[in-house]
Amino acid sequence: MRQRKKSRWAADLSLSLPPSPSASASRSSSSSSSTSSSAGHQGGDDRFTELPDIIRLHILSLLPLKYAIRTDALSSRWRGLWRLRWPPPAALEFSPPTDLGDAAGDEFVAGVDRCLSARGRGRRIDSLSLALPPSRRYDFDIKRWLEYAASCGVEDLRLVVSHPSPAATSARPGRRARRHDRAAVPSAFFFSICECSNLARMTLSGLHLSSPSSNIKQLSSLEVLSIHAAHVTDAALRRIVAACPFLRSLDLSLCRKLRRIVISAASSRLTSLTIIDCVRALEVTISATSLRRFRFSGNYLTTYSFDSPNRLEDVYISSGSPVSSRPWSNWVKALTELSNVKVLTLCNLSLQYVMAEGTKAIGEFRNFRNLRELQLLMGMMTDDNLMDVFGFFRLCECPRLEKLFIELPTNMRDPFIEKYLVVSEEVPPDVDFEYLKIIKLNSFKGHSNEMRLVRFLLEKAGSLESLVVVAPNELMGEEYNKNIMDGCPSFLHFFQLQLSRFTKASGSAQITLSEHDDHKFRPTHWEVYSKV
């Protein structure tokens, strides 16, 4: 049979990437289709992988950025190929040097304009990141750069305006506030944004977002929106969110003008909402029926309203700072409606709410039957806090709980010592953690209440496989480093001996003590907690 002539454009235009051994073997045995198929099968590559690089790059150019990135997992020959789907550079990042003086803004703008002009219009880019110095307004500059980004089909946009620290300026607070207003972005900004028809992800930080007009064009491709340290009002947020019908994730942090956060039913695709340290916020009302993830950190709101709370599967609730008293909140009522939650994080203030108000509605708490992972953020560990933990497990049944993570306070003082004559009245609840397999405690110092908590968990977890205890670095003082035993500080051995004497319901449970967290077991919300 006559051998088919190899396509010249495929050979000449293919990128000079290092071929894999399987690809070389396949090309050398291309005399017959059966032989080629056999070689490809032995190498583990499919027919798409055997295509010339130029064709695979053309395929990647037809995919949205997030799907192109996922091709990394196909095989080694696909790994990193998505970065080459557009002529370089396909990711533009501009940030001012730290040594610029008063003319930082003008020099930065001139530098960005020179780079974009040299690159030319119409050449596709995946991402554009602009970090602007705080020395001037950028209204027309931002508009011009956004028009360029739209012409290049940008999919990921990050726009950050930094502000001078109080130590870096002698201006009075009033002047600093007026300087902050120089970062204001007019309504024309939103119309420029809307011209980016391929925009899928946007991060805005440090901007003064004025409320766009009601006839703003919709951002039909935007899926992820993050607004940080921005001057944005309730009305502006409602219109911005309403202009994003396909929005899946919304992150709001340090937005100090927000008071009533309202997500209307028009945001039917929204699945994730994160609110962090919006200190003036009082209410959150969510009508998005598809919401699955709600993460909140800050002062407790008076009103939490969810149209479909039984659809939430991932919930994080934490008070940003300790308070002297519990402000009124309907949080406990909202908690009782989380019938399908699978991952839950609560702080010690949340547990106080449960104990103070949960006893009135004890029957409503029998609904955490789908909970698989629980994280407790204990800012304090007094006798009352320990009783709150016991009370939570007594009121809220968690029969399917598999993972328990507890962040203990970093304070080195043992609160039990101050009240050593006071005898706690409440005994540990009679519960059964039948499916609990992993327990991890961070900042464990061996204090009395911490030991009582560990004893309780070991006695109730019949299927426990691993108990991981991480001691804080503060325990590694010179007095502990002097004595070394088997390569481990003596205080860890002391804890090991103490814990080994506790009764364990699971005979196969392994107790691991360490001075460093190897992150082998991480809670789902570890990233949220680290940001807060």
Side-chain angles (χ1 to χ4, degrees):
M1 180 181 295
R2 183 172 145 188
Q3 185 176 358
R4 187 171 55 184
K5 186 176 180 180
K6 186 176 181 181
S7 176
R8 184 171 58 185
W9 63 267
D12 294 341
L13 298 181
S14 61
L15 298 181
S16 57
L17 296 176
S20 64
S22 60
S24 301
S26 177
R27 284 194 293 268
S28 64
S29 57
S30 58
S31 58
S32 65
S33 60
S34 60
T35 306
S36 176
S37 175
S38 174
H41 178 72
Q42 292 176 0
D45 289 336
D46 54 75
R47 294 190 177 186
F48 277 105
T49 303
E50 291 302 316
L51 291 173
D53 297 326
I54 191 67
I55 297 181
R56 291 192 292 143
L57 287 171
H58 178 69
I59 295 174
L60 291 173
S61 70
L62 301 176
L63 298 176
L65 176 59
K66 65 177 182 179
Y67 295 119
I69 294 176
R70 292 177 184 176
T71 60
D72 262 1
L74 294 179
S75 71
S76 59
R77 291 198 62 206
W78 284 93
R79 192 168 301 129
L81 190 63
W82 64 272
R83 301 179 187 274
L84 305 175
R85 64 187 189 137
W86 309 124
L92 303 180
E93 183 175 354
F94 300 97
S95 59
T98 57
D99 57 347
L100 288 180
D102 296 336
D106 295 336
E107 295 183 21
F108 176 78
V109 170
V112 174
D113 287 340
R114 284 195 302 269
C115 179
L116 298 184
S117 176
R119 189 179 185 277
R121 285 181 173 267
R123 295 175 59 186
R124 287 292 301 270
I125 57 176
D126 286 326
S127 63
L128 173 63
S129 177
L130 292 164
L132 310 179
S135 58
R136 50 165 283 183
R137 290 178 65 109
Y138 299 90
D139 299 354
F140 297 104
D141 303 314
I142 291 176
K143 185 175 184 296
R144 182 172 65 256
W145 294 333
L146 290 179
E147 289 175 353
Y148 175 86
S151 70
C152 297
V154 66
E155 296 187 39
D156 188 345
L157 175 65
R158 181 175 178 268
L159 186 58
V160 177
V161 176
S162 57
H163 301 287
S165 62
T169 177
S170 59
R172 296 188 299 272
R175 289 184 182 176
R176 287 198 297 271
R178 288 194 295 273
R179 184 174 294 186
H180 173 81
D181 288 339
R182 294 179 185 175
V185 177
S187 297
F189 166 78
F190 294 101
F191 289 98
S192 301
I193 285 288
C194 291
E195 296 303 320
C196 301
S197 57
N198 294 331
L199 190 62
R201 179 185 296 268
M202 180 166 62
T203 300
L204 305 176
S205 178
L207 298 176
H208 186 138
L209 301 178
S210 58
S211 181
S213 59
S214 57
N215 61 346
I216 180 177
K217 181 180 177 182
Q218 289 189 340
L219 288 163
S220 56
S221 299
L222 191 65
E223 297 182 4
V224 179
L225 174 61
S226 178
I227 302 177
H228 172 77
H231 181 111
V232 55
T233 62
D234 298 344
L237 180 63
R238 286 197 298 270
R239 289 186 175 180
I240 293 172
V241 174
C244 308
F246 293 96
L247 192 65
R248 294 187 298 102
S249 176
L250 174 62
D251 290 1
L252 305 170
S253 61
L254 296 173
C255 297
R256 303 181 184 278
K257 289 293 182 180
L258 292 178
R259 297 181 66 86
R260 292 174 175 83
I261 302 172
V262 178
I263 308 297
S264 66
S267 304
S268 57
R269 306 257 182 141
L270 189 68
T271 60
S272 175
L273 174 62
T274 301
I275 303 172
I276 297 178
D277 290 339
C278 297
V279 294
R280 295 187 179 180
L282 297 174
E283 302 177 10
V284 57
T285 302
I286 304 172
S287 301
T289 57
S290 59
L291 191 69
R292 298 293 183 271
R293 178 187 303 164
F294 178 70
R295 299 175 175 182
F296 175 87
S297 177
N299 299 332
Y300 270 75
L301 308 180
T302 58
T303 304
Y304 296 83
S305 177
F306 303 94
D307 276 7
S308 304
N310 59 338
R311 296 193 177 187
L312 285 171
E313 299 178 353
D314 183 324
V315 176
Y316 178 102
I317 296 288
S318 173
S319 175
S321 59
V323 294
S324 56
S325 61
R326 292 188 307 273
W328 184 89
S329 174
N330 73 335
W331 156 240
V332 174
K333 182 180 183 299
L335 181 66
T336 61
E337 297 173 347
L338 303 179
S339 56
N340 289 316
V341 66
K342 296 180 180 178
V343 180
L344 178 64
T345 292
L346 299 174
C347 67
N348 58 292
L349 185 58
S350 300
L351 299 180
Q352 292 178 25
Y353 272 104
V354 172
M355 285 300 296
E357 303 179 27
T359 52
K360 305 173 185 177
I362 187 170
E364 299 180 7
F365 275 109
R366 309 286 183 176
N367 59 2
F368 287 141
R369 300 190 177 279
N370 292 319
L371 187 63
R372 299 296 191 272
E373 178 181 319
L374 175 64
Q375 181 178 209
L376 300 179
L377 308 179
M378 307 304 296
M380 296 184 293
M381 200 59 184
T382 64
D383 290 347
D384 291 337
N385 297 123
L386 180 61
M387 294 305 106
D388 291 338
V389 175
F390 289 163
F392 175 82
F393 287 121
R394 188 183 70 253
L395 293 174
C396 309
E397 293 184 358
C398 309
R400 306 288 299 182
L401 187 64
E402 298 176 359
K403 300 178 182 179
L404 176 62
F405 299 91
I406 301 178
E407 291 288 339
L408 296 168
T410 57
N411 190 349
M412 300 299 294
R413 179 177 53 84
D414 188 350
F416 180 79
I417 298 178
E418 298 179 359
K419 301 189 301 180
Y420 64 94
L421 294 178
V422 179
V423 179
S424 302
E425 297 181 358
E426 185 164 345
V427 297
D430 186 15
V431 296
D432 182 18
F433 299 119
E434 182 181 356
Y435 294 93
L436 187 58
K437 297 180 180 179
I438 297 173
I439 301 175
K440 183 177 181 180
L441 295 92
N442 275 334
S443 300
F444 183 83
K445 299 167 289 296
H447 292 169
S448 176
N449 290 332
E450 297 175 358
M451 287 292 191
R452 292 179 61 191
L453 179 59
V454 173
R455 183 194 297 269
F456 160 71
L457 295 173
L458 288 176
E459 291 177 351
K460 302 299 182 181
S463 301
L464 186 64
E465 297 177 357
S466 181
L467 169 64
V468 180
V469 177
V470 182
N473 293 330
E474 287 80 356
L475 285 179
M476 297 300 298
E478 294 182 0
E479 63 274 15
Y480 296 109
N481 290 331
K482 293 178 180 178
N483 298 321
I484 303 297
M485 183 180 299
D486 296 333
C488 186
S490 59
F491 79 93
L492 288 181
H493 284 276
F494 174 76
F495 287 162
Q496 186 81 43
L497 290 175
Q498 294 294 317
L499 298 181
S500 64
R501 296 169 183 170
F502 292 164
T503 302
K504 296 191 292 290
S506 172
S508 59
Q510 293 187 355
I511 301 178
T512 303
L513 288 93
S514 174
E515 62 193 79
H516 302 291
D517 189 355
D518 60 2
H519 302 296
K520 179 180 180 181
F521 301 112
R522 271 185 173 178
T524 302
H525 296 151
W526 72 271
E527 188 174 1
V528 182
Y529 179 69
S530 61
K531 289 181 180 179
V532 177

